[in-house]
Amino acid sequence: MLIPIESIKVKKRVRKDLGNLEDLKDSLRTYGLLNPITLNRDYELIAGERRLTAAKEIGWTNINAVIVDNLSEIEELEMEIEENNQRKEFTNEELLEGYKRLERLRHPGFFIESIYSLK
């Protein structure tokens, strides 16, 4: 659901340091919002403060959101903590493999020519 950013309320949050948002802003500009933020029925933010802040900073006026209803304050806080806690960064090896695959897809002829030039 597309929500006007100005109508979203951000109450006290667990996360205090949003970190550097430049890469996230670049991603939003390039790919758009890949995962919607989460709000309660009163448009109070439950999950996605970094995404919301980055969207505001690049001038978006609307953002995609999932609205959850009938949650207790405890359940909302659990969702906020869970959403931030369950992320796992790629290992260096996983990231390297991912970029290698991406490069092969972007330039498939290069790798085939390289193999034949080694013979």
Side-chain angles (χ1 to χ4, degrees):
M1 168 181 267
L2 204 56
I3 304 293
I5 286 177
E6 67 183 22
S7 66
I8 298 171
K9 301 168 206 83
V10 180
K11 294 169 51 175
K12 185 176 179 181
R13 310 285 299 160
V14 173
R15 182 181 300 279
K16 303 295 182 228
D17 180 6
L18 296 181
N20 185 332
L21 297 176
E22 293 309 310
D23 289 341
L24 180 54
K25 290 191 284 189
D26 289 344
S27 177
L28 290 176
R29 285 185 196 102
T30 303
Y31 303 108
L33 184 67
L34 300 176
N35 296 302
I37 64 171
T38 305
L39 307 173
N40 66 18
R41 67 174 176 242
D42 297 322
Y43 289 4
E44 294 171 338
L45 184 69
I46 296 173
E49 185 176 16
R50 294 184 80 246
R51 286 168 277 164
L52 176 62
T53 302
K56 283 181 190 178
E57 289 182 8
I58 62 173
W60 287 13
T61 55
N62 297 295
I63 193 165
N64 233 340
V66 172
I67 307 294
V68 294
D69 200 6
N70 298 323
L71 294 180
S72 69
E73 190 173 342
I74 291 171
E75 291 169 318
E76 288 181 7
L77 182 55
E78 287 173 339
M79 283 183 76
E80 177 187 347
I81 292 169
E82 185 71 10
E83 199 260 350
N84 284 286
N85 196 39
Q86 290 307 319
R87 292 190 192 150
K88 182 179 180 305
E89 299 293 328
F90 282 122
T91 65
N92 288 338
E93 294 79 20
E94 291 167 334
L95 197 54
L96 182 60
E97 177 59 29
Y99 279 117
K100 283 181 184 176
R101 287 175 50 199
L102 185 59
E103 202 58 30
R104 282 194 299 269
L105 290 170
R106 286 182 174 156
H107 307 287
F110 173 79
F111 291 97
I112 293 170
E113 291 170 17
S114 296
I115 291 171
Y116 289 115
S117 68
L118 294 175
K119 291 183 180 184

